[in-house]
Amino acid sequence: MRTPHIAVLGAGYAGLATAQLLAKRIGATVTLVNNRDRFVERMRNHQLASGRQLRHLPLHDLLRGSRIRLIIGQVTRIDTRERQVELAGGVPPIDYDLLVYALGSRADTDAVPGAAQHACSVAVAEQAGRLRDQMRTAGTVAVVGAGPTGLETATELAETYPDRTVRLVSRGPLGEGLSEQGREHLHRALDRLGIQVWQNADVAKVDADGLLLASGDHIDADAVAWTAGFKVPELAREAGLAVDERGRMVVDGTLRSQSHLEVYGVGDAAAAHTQDGQVLRMGCGPGGLAAACAFHAITARLAGRAPVPLRVKNDALCISLGRRDGILQPTDLDGNPRGKVRTGLPVAMLKNFVLQVTGRYIPRYPDLVVAGARQG
C-alpha cells in the first residue's frame, strides 16, 4: 500500500504533536496547515497578560529537518467528497488521503453583547497581549469566568499588580470541580491576593467601563479579561461531519470520526469518548493523550492491525494561583473531585514544570507525548 498523504489542520499542542509523530514514525507525507507562523503556548497566555515574556517559537524552526510541509493559511472549507481542504487567499486546495482535524477552540465572546468589542480573550495570544498593554494604565480589571483559566488569570494579575483592583466574576459557585478542602484553599488564596469575587453572577453586557449583570448591577472595570465559555470552528459541521451540540467533531475511542472514516479529530475541536463513554475534557493534557491515541490508531490501521481505543482511568486539575501557590485536585473523568487535594508552592512548581515541558520540549520532541500517554 502506498504511503498516504495526511493533512493536519491546526498546529496547537495536539495538532503539532500528531503531525510530527506521523511524519517521523511512519514516513508519511504530512501537510500541516496553521493560521499563524508560530507555535503559541496557550497555557501561558495568562502569564503573557500579566507582562511576562514568552518564548518565540516559529513553526519553521520547530519543523526543520522533518518531512512536514507547512502551509500558513486560513482553512475556509473541507470537501469530504473530494477529500480536499480549501484555504483563503487563492491558495491551491490541499488533497488528502487522511485528515486530522485539530483546529482547537476559542473563547465565546459572541454570546454576550459587547464582549467581542470591549473584552480581551485570554485564549488568544494577541488579545492577551492587548490586556497586558491595558494593564499598564488600568486601575481595575474584571476577569469573567472562574474556571481554571479564569482563576489563573485573576491570581496572576493580582500578584503582578498588587496596587490594582482585580474582580473575579463567576456564573456559578466558586471552585466547581474542587473538594471542600480545595475550595477553602481557593478562597484563602483569593482573599490573600485581595481579589473581589462575584459568584452566581450572569454577565448580560460588556461596555467600555465594565460589566452589566443580569441582576441590573454594574461592575466597574477599566479592562475586562474574558475566560468564560468556548466556541469551536463551524468547519466540521459545514463539511457534514458528525458533531455534538457544541459543534465538536464526534469521534470514537480511536479518535476517528463516527461519520467519515478517513478523518480523525484531536484536541478541543473533537469530542473524544473514553472506554466508559465519558467525553475527554478540553485541555492540553487530554489533547496530548488524544494525539498519542490518534497516532497509534492511524499507524495500526495502516499496518493492518486493530487499533487500541483510548483508555483513561482518572484525571486531575492543576491550577496555579500566582507563582507561589496552586491546587492539584484529582478528579473522576466526569469531573467529580476524588482523593487528596494538594496545595501550595509544590503545586505551583509542578505547574511551572508542566508549562516548561509542554512549551520547550514537546514541540521539538513529540515522542514525549507518547511516553506521557503510556505513563497516564
Side-chain angles (χ1 to χ4, degrees):
M1 178 180 178
R2 70 179 179 85
T3 303
H5 176 227
I6 303 174
V8 180
L9 308 184
Y13 293 102
L16 180 60
T18 305
Q20 290 172 308
L21 287 168
L22 290 169
K24 180 179 180 180
R25 294 286 193 90
I26 66 174
T29 302
V30 177
T31 298
L32 177 62
V33 184
N34 199 54
N35 62 354
R36 67 186 76 202
D37 63 358
R38 63 189 175 95
F39 174 73
V40 175
E41 296 182 81
R42 181 170 172 173
M43 290 174 61
R44 297 187 64 191
N45 278 351
H46 64 286
Q47 296 176 345
L48 174 62
S50 72
R52 295 174 69 174
Q53 188 70 32
L54 302 189
R55 289 179 284 265
H56 180 60
L57 299 169
L59 287 171
H60 286 285
D61 291 348
L62 296 176
L63 300 176
R64 184 173 291 117
S66 73
R67 298 170 56 91
I68 297 174
R69 178 174 67 126
L70 176 64
I71 295 179
I72 307 303
Q74 186 70 43
V75 178
T76 58
R77 181 172 177 264
I78 300 170
D79 186 340
T80 56
R81 183 183 296 274
E82 298 295 329
R83 295 194 182 186
Q84 284 187 336
V85 176
E86 298 178 6
L87 305 175
V91 178
I94 300 166
D95 296 320
Y96 65 84
D97 298 304
L98 295 175
L99 178 70
V100 179
Y101 186 83
L103 289 175
S105 66
R106 63 177 178 83
D108 188 6
T109 54
D110 298 326
V112 175
Q117 292 76 27
H118 301 294
C120 297
S121 167
V122 181
V124 180
E126 289 78 8
Q127 293 196 35
R130 183 158 63 93
L131 178 61
R132 172 200 58 204
D133 296 339
Q134 292 179 359
M135 289 302 300
R136 293 171 181 156
T137 57
T140 301
V141 58
V143 179
V144 180
T149 302
L151 294 175
E152 292 186 334
T153 301
T155 52
E156 187 81 20
L157 291 173
E159 188 174 89
T160 303
Y161 301 101
D163 58 333
R164 317 291 173 85
T165 299
V166 178
R167 292 168 172 161
L168 179 62
V169 183
S170 174
R171 185 174 185 179
L174 199 64
E176 290 185 300
L178 299 178
S179 64
E180 182 178 353
Q181 180 186 356
R183 291 194 299 272
E184 290 174 353
H185 184 85
L186 174 61
H187 281 281
R188 287 195 298 270
L190 297 179
D191 288 342
R192 170 175 54 81
L193 292 168
I195 297 173
Q196 301 174 2
V197 177
W198 275 260
Q199 299 186 69
N200 302 306
D202 279 329
V203 176
K205 184 180 179 181
V206 182
D207 51 39
D209 59 357
L211 310 172
L212 176 65
L213 302 183
S215 64
D217 296 330
H218 191 272
I219 298 176
D220 294 335
D222 301 314
V224 176
W226 196 268
T227 72
F230 74 91
K231 189 174 184 179
V232 299
E234 290 292 326
L235 289 166
R237 188 193 304 275
E238 292 168 354
L241 294 158
V243 298
D244 64 9
E245 66 281 358
R246 294 180 172 182
R248 301 173 69 191
M249 183 193 301
V250 180
V251 296
D252 63 18
T254 66
L255 283 302
R256 186 165 69 170
S257 167
Q258 292 190 355
S259 60
H260 293 70
L261 302 186
E262 74 283 359
V263 180
Y264 290 77
V266 297
D268 289 354
H273 292 74
T274 68
Q275 72 276 15
D276 298 323
Q278 296 288 345
V279 178
L280 203 64
R281 71 174 175 87
M282 300 169 68
C284 176
L289 291 175
C293 182
F295 159 69
H296 283 304
I298 291 172
T299 54
R301 287 191 171 104
L302 290 177
R305 303 190 308 269
V308 177
L310 182 68
R311 290 192 174 97
V312 184
K313 296 180 179 179
N314 47 51
D315 199 357
L317 295 175
C318 189
I319 306 169
S320 64
L321 302 174
R323 304 182 192 185
R324 295 178 293 275
D325 194 5
I327 297 175
L328 177 61
Q329 175 67 69
T331 69
D332 294 325
L333 291 180
D334 58 6
N336 292 323
R338 59 184 292 273
K340 184 177 181 180
V341 65
R342 306 287 181 177
T343 60
L345 179 60
V347 177
M349 295 173 65
L350 172 63
K351 184 59 179 282
N352 184 63
F353 172 76
V354 171
L355 293 177
Q356 291 295 327
V357 170
T358 55
R360 184 185 296 274
Y361 297 109
I362 287 182
R364 293 183 173 89
Y365 308 105
D367 289 334
L368 292 173
V369 173
V370 177
R374 288 171 179 164
Q375 291 295 322

